[in-house]
Amino acid sequence: MKAPGPRPVPDRQCLQGILYVLHTGIGWEDLPQELGFRSGMTCWRRIKRWINAGVFDDLHRILLAQLNAANEIDWSRAVIDGSHIDTKKGGSRTLSSPPFLAPT
């Protein structure tokens, strides 16, 4: 028995569409379907779902940990910008290593 509706777009296909939009700067609705990415809205919904699930935060954390373990990061040139992070009033916390390198 065939499932109703279109077949789901494979993750790799959606990722390629997402990267195309981010690289070219075109709008999601302008993603050319003839390139095989399907609908721009499909790609947009997929990236939104991945962001909400923390996929890119996890990927960033893993890549930083691997690069740090391979001594491939020059921390003397690192910059930290916390202007977009809310702080707790009166809270203070010290860490022995940056939070993105702490084991989870």
Side-chain angles (χ1 to χ4, degrees):
M1 183 173 162
K2 186 178 173 188
R7 290 191 345 226
V9 179
D11 286 341
R12 179 181 286 262
Q13 204 171 346
C14 271
L15 180 60
Q16 289 174 330
I18 290 165
L19 293 174
Y20 185 86
V21 167
L22 296 176
H23 179 73
T24 62
I26 65 171
W28 293 105
E29 65 279 0
D30 298 325
L31 184 65
Q33 290 192 17
E34 57 271 10
L35 294 178
F37 306 133
R38 298 253 194 111
S39 159
M41 288 298 102
T42 298
C43 294
W44 178 81
R45 281 190 298 272
R46 190 75 54 92
I47 193 172
K48 187 174 177 182
R49 187 179 334 143
W50 289 341
I51 288 170
N52 290 339
V55 170
F56 294 105
D57 290 336
D58 291 344
L59 180 61
H60 186 227
R61 201 173 291 111
I62 290 166
L63 288 173
L64 280 175
Q66 288 180 354
L67 288 170
N68 188 56
N71 203 24
E72 292 291 328
I73 298 177
D74 180 4
W75 290 110
S76 69
R77 299 183 57 89
V79 176
I80 297 176
D81 176 14
S83 63
H84 66 285
I85 298 173
D86 292 334
T87 59
K88 304 277 186 204
K89 187 173 183 175
S92 66
R93 182 174 93 167
T94 59
L95 296 172
S96 58
S97 65
F100 47 82
L101 295 178
T104 56

